[in-house]
């Protein structure tokens, strides 16, 4: 249990911002029937001319009870293979540098700029906090994701990593799909932006499918894989301003049975780099008390009686007019200790300084619901996972 508590206690808090979302009335002009086939043909031609989406397989890895879905990214020429987690909270992808002597770096694959014929020095410093806790310099090189190679891509060469829990993380670096341009705000284009500029994909649209059980997952860039979902997408608008740029979507409400997590002005972020539902300490306590949770010595975390899981209420998220439901076995986490002993945890984890109406939906949620990120239309979509 001490191993589990140490992992949970070290999870970095994610910064959240609450922004009012105005109602927008959209007037759609009537299109005469004879014109519709022509418009349809033009759209089909444009779609056919667009580059096909690319898909990156993700492997599920568990370390000390923490769940990771990891892919491979090649950096440099010839490509240096890096295992990466897919992160939507930051715009800057990064890998550990050969110039980093921290234990995390030396225990993982390190990028060697001297071994790449396409390396370009930049030198702009960067620092990512809020759970990442890495710093270094911006460099440029060729980066390949799922067979699509971006030339001259800006990324972070991490020369310092100061997370105590990072030593246990199996990924070398991060493939970033966040908003913005660069961590240093110097105007460097993100990997997705570069893929579009260089004609590798046709649109800023990404889909993440996370499999159940031992199955891995899939990241699709430049489109969606309709075979990975079994229902229509419910699109929730993204709240966005220049100060807080993130994939924070507006939903109607969240509740577990009769216990409300949020009933108005609610915002969610679907994040594959944690299994849990992060929320304020107050919201987590209210839910976990209703579930019969008990203290395990880690603030914001509650243990559950494994024999009662089947009797617990359903999680309901009202998003874009649809109810997304999860059973108690889907929102709880069963941790296997030594000797075959199991410990059950609530998936609802409280974090300090977290807004009451903001909830992070982790991989427990994303294994149930296919998630789409559409920057062109500023929205996040949820569908039943196939």
């Amino acid at each position: 249990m001490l191993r589990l508590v140490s992992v949970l206690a070290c999870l970095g808090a994610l910064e959240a911002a609450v922004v009012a979302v105005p109602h927008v009335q959209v007037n759609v002009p009537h299109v005469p029937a004879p014109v519709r086939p022509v418009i349809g043909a033009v759209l089909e031609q444009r779609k056919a001319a667009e580059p096909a989406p690319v898909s990156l397989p993700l492997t599920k890895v568990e370390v000390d009870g923490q769940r990771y879905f990891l892919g491979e990214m090649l950096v440099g020429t010839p490509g240096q293979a890096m295992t990466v987690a897919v992160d939507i909270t930051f715009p800057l992808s990064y890998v550990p540098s050969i110039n980093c002597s921290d234990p995390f770096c030396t225990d993982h694959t390190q990028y060697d700029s001297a071994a790449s014929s396409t390396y370009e020095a930049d030198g702009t410093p960067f620092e990512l906090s809020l759970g990442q806790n890495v710093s270094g310099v911006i460099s440029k090189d060729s980066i390949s994701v799922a067979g699509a190679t971006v030339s001259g891509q800006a990324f972070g060469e991490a020369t310092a990593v100061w997370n105590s829990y990072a030593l246990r993380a199996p990924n070398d670096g991060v493939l970033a799909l966040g908003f913005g341009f660069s961590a240093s705000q110097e105007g460097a284009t993100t990997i997705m932006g570069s893929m579009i500029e260089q004609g590798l994909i046709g649109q800023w649209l990404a889909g993440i499918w996370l499999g159940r059980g031992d199955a891995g997952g899939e990241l699709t860039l430049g489109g969606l894989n309709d075979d990975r979902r079994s229902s229509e997408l419910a699109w929730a608008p993204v709240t966005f301003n220049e100060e807080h740029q993130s994939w924070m979507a507006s939903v109607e409400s969240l509740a577990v049975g009769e216990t409300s997590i949020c009933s108005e002005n609610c915002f969610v972020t679907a994040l594959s780099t944690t299994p849990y539902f992060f929320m304020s300490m107050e919201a987590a306590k209210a839910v976990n008390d209703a579930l019969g949770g008990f203290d395990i010595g880690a603030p914001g975390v509650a243990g559950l009686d494994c024999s009662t899981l089947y009797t617990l209420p359903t999680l309901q998220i009202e998003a874009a007019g649809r109810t997304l439901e999860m059973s108690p076995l889907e929102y709880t986490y069963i941790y296997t200790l030594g000797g075959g002993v199991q410990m059950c945890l609530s998936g609802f984890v409280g974090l300090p300084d977290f807004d009451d109406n903001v909830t992070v939906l982790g991989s427990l949620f994303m294994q149930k619901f296919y998630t789409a990120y559409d920057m062109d239309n500023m929205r996040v979509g949820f569908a039943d996972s196939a």
Side-chain angles (χ1 to χ4, degrees):
M1 182 166 69
L2 291 176
R3 282 194 307 161
L4 176 61
V5 171
S6 67
V7 172
L8 292 175
C10 291
L11 289 174
L14 302 175
E15 183 182 61
V18 180
V19 181
V21 182
H23 175 72
V24 178
Q25 180 68 41
V26 179
N27 296 314
V28 180
H30 173 70
V31 180
V35 180
R36 291 173 186 163
V38 177
I39 294 177
V42 171
L43 292 177
E44 286 299 319
Q45 288 176 355
R46 289 181 179 175
K47 185 176 180 180
E50 285 185 354
V54 298
S55 293
L56 177 69
L58 303 177
T59 301
K60 180 184 175 184
V61 178
E62 289 200 15
V63 178
D64 290 339
Q66 183 74 8
R67 183 177 302 165
Y68 301 84
F69 290 87
L70 307 178
E72 183 179 81
M73 183 171 75
L74 301 179
V75 185
T77 307
Q80 301 172 42
M82 303 284 170
T83 301
V84 292
V86 180
D87 182 74
I88 66 162
T89 58
F90 291 98
L92 183 71
S93 300
Y94 66 86
V95 295
S97 170
I98 194 70
N99 298 316
C100 176
S101 59
D102 288 341
F104 171 85
C105 296
T106 56
D107 286 348
H108 288 75
T109 302
Q110 294 171 273
Y111 165 75
D112 185 357
S113 60
S116 173
S117 63
T118 47
Y119 164 74
E120 300 176 48
D122 183 299
T124 303
F126 80 92
E127 181 175 318
L128 300 177
S129 55
L130 302 174
Q132 300 284 353
N133 295 341
V134 302
S135 63
V137 296
I138 303 293
S139 295
K140 294 181 180 180
D141 210 332
S142 296
I143 291 184
S144 296
V145 178
T149 301
V150 178
S151 300
Q153 176 60 45
F155 67 99
E157 242 192 285
T159 57
V161 181
W162 60 92
N163 278 331
S164 59
Y165 66 86
L167 285 173
R168 295 184 288 268
N171 57 301
D172 303 316
V174 163
L175 171 60
L177 301 180
F179 278 87
F181 294 101
S182 77
S184 59
Q185 300 300 315
E186 295 297 327
T189 306
T190 61
I191 285 183
M192 282 288 284
S194 295
M195 284 185 166
I196 293 173
E197 288 180 1
Q198 297 179 26
L200 300 174
I201 58 176
Q203 53 186 327
W204 210 121
L205 182 61
I208 296 180
W209 172 82
L210 302 182
R212 301 179 181 90
D214 295 329
E218 179 186 75
L219 167 67
T220 304
L221 302 176
L224 304 176
N225 186 347
D226 293 339
D227 293 335
R228 295 300 194 184
R229 60 185 177 90
S230 58
S231 71
E232 293 298 316
L233 285 156
W235 291 103
V238 167
T239 63
F240 177 85
N241 62 35
E242 291 301 322
E243 182 179 358
H244 299 288
Q245 304 177 11
S246 69
W247 286 108
M248 192 180 297
S250 174
V251 298
E252 291 88 87
S253 64
L254 301 90
V256 180
E258 298 299 318
T259 304
S260 173
I261 298 173
C262 180
S263 59
E264 60 180 0
N265 202 32
C266 307
F267 303 94
V268 299
T269 299
L271 190 64
S272 65
T273 50
T274 176
Y276 305 104
F277 297 83
F278 287 140
M279 57 190 63
S280 70
M281 297 290 283
E282 294 77 11
K285 184 179 187 307
V287 173
N288 290 328
D289 285 351
L291 298 179
F294 53 86
D295 181 27
I296 65 169
V301 182
L304 297 173
D305 182 347
C306 295
S307 66
T308 67
L309 295 189
Y310 293 91
T311 66
L312 298 179
T314 300
L315 166 65
Q316 294 186 324
I317 302 173
E318 300 291 337
R322 187 195 159 182
T323 303
L324 308 175
E325 293 189 334
M326 296 183 66
S327 72
L329 292 182
E330 292 170 331
Y331 65 70
T332 54
Y333 193 71
I334 301 175
Y335 183 79
T336 302
L337 304 173
V341 178
Q342 290 184 327
M343 179 180 182
C344 294
L345 292 177
S346 167
F348 305 106
V349 174
L351 293 177
D353 302 320
F354 222 71
D355 291 302
D356 287 334
N357 57 347
V358 174
T359 304
V360 169
L361 310 176
S363 61
L364 286 172
F365 171 87
M366 295 179 71
Q367 286 180 284
K368 178 72 180 287
F369 298 103
Y370 182 85
T371 306
Y373 305 89
D374 182 358
M375 186 175 287
D376 289 340
N377 296 293
M378 299 294 292
R379 58 185 185 170
V380 175
F382 305 109
D384 295 323
S385 182

